Amino acid sequence: MKVLINLQWCKGCGVCVAFCRSGALSLDGDGKPEYAPALCVGCGLCELYCPDLAVECLGEDGPGESGEGA
């Protein structure tokens, strides 16, 4: 899983960080989210709850790759 954060859209509200159950997201000194890929469990909650649509979760092979069913 790869998490992309559009910092131009992000208001720094911290909702993505609050819902990140693995600690892969944290806020930097400017109040913007930072992503630690090694900690990400791929749950997608950060993307789901971002009110600004600034977070996008991508599968290992690109957009839409979830690894489930087919």
Side-chain angles (χ1 to χ4, degrees):
M1 176 73 67
K2 181 176 182 179
V3 174
L4 302 178
I5 302 168
N6 184 330
L7 295 177
Q8 292 179 338
W9 293 0
C10 176
K11 292 185 297 208
C13 68
V15 170
C16 61
V17 175
F19 280 96
C20 182
R21 62 185 188 186
S22 68
L25 291 173
S26 61
L27 294 180
D28 67 12
D30 295 326
K32 299 293 183 166
E34 292 183 317
Y35 173 58
L39 298 176
C40 184
V41 296
C43 67
L45 292 177
C46 53
E47 179 180 24
L48 181 65
Y49 287 105
C50 176
D52 301 314
L53 305 175
V55 180
E56 183 178 8
C57 297
L58 305 176
E60 295 293 326
D61 297 323
E65 180 64 32
S66 67
E68 296 178 6

